[in-house]
Amino acid sequence: MRKIFLLLGIVATSWLLAFCTEAEKNVAEDTTVVQSVSSEYTVAAYVWPSCHHDERFGDMLWPEGTGEWEVIKKGTARFNGHYQPKAPLWGYEMDDNPQVMEKWIDAATDHGVNTFIFDWYWFDEGPFLESSLNNGFLKAPNREKIDFYLMWANHDVKQNYWNVHKYPDVDTLLWDGAVDLKNFKIVVDRVITQYFSQPNYHKIDSMPVFSIFSLTNLTEGLGGLEATQDALNYFREQTIAAGFPGLHLQAILFGNPNQNAAETVEALNFNSATQYNWGWMKEQDYLKWGAKAIERRNAWAEQLKVPLFPNASIGWDDTPRFPAKGEKDIVRYNKSPESFAAYLQEAKEYCDDHPDQAKLITIFSWNEWIEGGYLLPDRKYGFEYLQAVKEVTEGSYDQYSNQQ
């Protein structure tokens, strides 16, 4: 009998140990998920969600039913050695497919990207290109591994901008990015209810981050600076009413620093600023483009009274959209994963030099195939750009840093 009890004890102990080991394993896995989102640096890549069939305007813009892949695949070389059309390693996948997003999320988090910033549109009193986020990202089985937030792309769009092959000679305005107060309040309700409420919506100081592309269109649509102040205060009040301590508004800056823009950011009580990319290309040399971008960023930082988060850009080549453009319009020299890594390292060091602000870096971009700036693997570079992000973020890129 004693032997039986002893045997039962051994079995129970073994079971308990196995259970505890499995529990510890689950805790470890959960911790890994949390750490991937809550690392010391927020590395946020912009997502251009155009490669699917949009329910509202897809038939009008891209009748083949594959979104902007229709235009990307028609890219043509403008000079000897020009890499066009771009060739995605994983093919022309639809970005509203949750299985595609699952692969994207794994690739991102495996290489140090822990946040997606989705370009988000509101045209003709309704959303545009929202299915990539709603049907793809938010339905991906591993979506909890990565944060996301919205960048309201409230810019104007001409008729031939997104499909010059269908509208070759029509450059009239298709959409005005400015919205009136009625539509603004609909936008506010939609983003708070549909997106801020998501558990992996990105926050700074517990406040959901909402980025706005065009301050000019924002103020013009709402009727001036004072009316815009009132509208943004309404946005903040609604966010607080939804249970958040406040709203983190982020301005997108363009071009050279100017006092008017800096004063607008201050007057509208924005919490921070960043860039979508390094700005309009004035250099064909990637290294010179980056050096000028750093000069502009630092000059902006001196004028602003809010944190400015650094941007690292991969490249620029939007020739598939514009048949008249040529080699002078493309960042073509010294563009490489190694060059990008050097500038990403500089952005990381900028964060370290500003310990009083969140360590956020924006990257142009995750998948701007149409504009020549993307982290997703292709058949030329493979995973080299993603590997560059991994090495910089984990600290293995620069073993012998610039310390004297």
Side-chain angles (χ1 to χ4, degrees):
M1 182 64 71
R2 289 179 62 187
K3 290 182 179 179
I4 294 175
F5 281 119
L6 181 61
L7 180 60
L8 289 174
I10 292 172
V11 171
T13 301
S14 300
W15 177 85
L16 182 60
L17 287 171
F19 176 82
C20 291
T21 301
E22 186 63 27
E24 290 171 356
K25 178 183 176 184
N26 291 334
V27 169
E29 289 174 349
D30 289 343
T31 302
T32 300
V33 169
V34 171
Q35 288 175 345
S36 71
V37 175
S38 307
S39 65
E40 181 181 3
Y41 300 89
T42 298
V43 182
Y46 290 103
V47 176
W48 166 227
S50 69
C51 291
H52 66 273
H53 183 70
D54 181 73
E55 294 178 359
R56 296 187 70 213
F57 302 117
D59 291 333
M60 175 187 68
L61 282 173
W62 303 299
E64 292 181 11
T66 59
E68 206 170 15
W69 282 132
E70 179 178 331
V71 180
I72 295 167
K73 289 189 286 187
K74 294 176 182 177
T76 57
R78 308 299 162 86
F79 53 88
N80 186 36
H82 183 201
Y83 174 30
Q84 284 290 351
K86 306 301 187 192
L89 184 65
W90 294 331
Y92 303 104
E93 299 179 310
M94 296 297 104
D95 60 26
D96 63 343
N97 183 330
Q99 281 70 47
V100 170
M101 278 291 176
E102 180 181 16
K103 185 161 53 177
W104 285 15
I105 292 168
D106 283 341
T109 55
D110 285 347
H111 294 86
V113 176
N114 53 23
T115 304
F116 282 158
I117 308 173
F118 280 87
D119 296 356
W120 188 82
Y121 289 88
W122 188 266
F123 290 137
D124 283 352
E125 302 190 342
F128 175 54
L129 298 179
E130 215 181 41
S131 295
S132 177
L133 178 54
N134 295 345
N135 299 334
F137 180 81
L138 291 179
K139 293 182 180 179
N142 59 344
R143 52 163 282 190
E144 80 285 348
K145 292 175 65 177
I146 192 168
D147 277 5
F148 79 101
Y149 68 94
L150 302 184
M151 191 276 292
W152 183 12
N154 59 335
H155 58 76
D156 300 342
V157 178
K158 290 185 177 181
Q159 192 83 19
N160 61 351
Y161 182 61
W162 280 332
N163 196 341
V164 69
H165 305 287
K166 184 175 180 181
Y167 305 104
D169 301 314
V170 186
D171 64 351
T172 55
L173 192 66
L174 174 62
W175 287 310
D176 186 340
V179 304
D180 59 16
L181 183 59
K182 172 190 172 184
N183 273 274
F184 181 80
K185 288 185 174 182
I186 297 172
V187 166
V188 166
D189 179 70
R190 189 177 189 86
V191 300
I192 292 174
T193 304
Q194 200 160 297
Y195 302 116
F196 288 2
S197 60
Q198 300 295 333
N200 59 331
Y201 194 90
H202 187 67
K203 302 173 186 68
I204 295 177
D205 296 330
S206 300
M207 299 187 294
V209 181
F210 187 77
S211 183
I212 299 179
F213 188 82
S214 174
L215 296 183
T216 300
N217 275 351
L218 179 71
T219 53
E220 287 183 357
L222 292 171
L225 190 63
E226 290 186 8
T228 304
Q229 289 172 331
D230 292 339
L232 293 180
N233 284 336
Y234 170 82
F235 195 175
R236 295 184 185 94
E237 291 166 0
Q238 294 302 112
T239 303
I240 292 171
F244 301 97
L247 171 67
H248 185 109
L249 285 174
Q250 185 177 94
I252 300 294
L253 301 176
F254 296 92
N256 293 317
N258 64 86
Q259 187 175 354
N260 182 59
E263 289 175 352
T264 299
V265 170
E266 182 180 2
L268 296 177
N269 199 25
F270 272 77
N271 302 80
S272 68
T274 188
Q275 297 166 296
Y276 188 68
N277 53 41
W278 282 344
W280 178 240
M281 192 270 293
K282 299 295 183 183
E283 297 286 348
Q284 296 180 54
D285 188 316
Y286 178 85
L287 299 181
K288 293 181 180 179
W289 188 42
K292 283 190 174 182
I294 290 173
E295 290 180 8
R296 286 195 299 268
R297 182 201 66 198
N298 292 341
W300 271 114
E302 291 180 1
Q303 288 207 11
L304 295 171
K305 296 182 179 180
V306 297
L308 174 61
F309 299 124
N311 175 272
S313 293
I314 292 169
W316 185 263
D317 178 3
D318 63 349
T319 55
R321 283 181 177 161
F322 302 103
K325 286 193 174 184
E327 56 186 301
K328 65 180 178 59
D329 303 298
I330 301 164
V331 176
R332 54 186 297 228
Y333 301 114
N334 294 316
K335 177 189 174 296
S336 68
E338 293 81 7
S339 297
F340 167 69
Y343 282 106
L344 184 61
Q345 175 69 21
E346 191 279 337
K348 182 181 175 184
E349 292 171 359
Y350 178 93
C351 289
D352 294 339
D353 291 338
H354 294 77
D356 56 332
Q357 66 184 51
K359 293 186 176 183
L360 169 65
I361 301 168
T362 60
I363 294 180
F364 173 79
S365 70
W366 180 253
N367 64 329
E368 282 271 23
W369 301 99
I370 196 72
E371 292 183 347
Y374 51 87
L375 286 174
L376 275 174
D378 69 357
R379 294 192 180 278
K380 180 175 182 178
Y381 297 104
F383 279 76
E384 290 180 36
Y385 277 98
L386 279 171
Q387 187 62 29
V389 178
K390 180 179 175 64
E391 291 176 3
V392 171
T393 55
E394 72 181 9
S396 64
Y397 164 73
D398 192 5
Q399 298 289 349
Y400 305 96
S401 64
N402 295 325
Q403 298 175 2
Q404 298 296 324

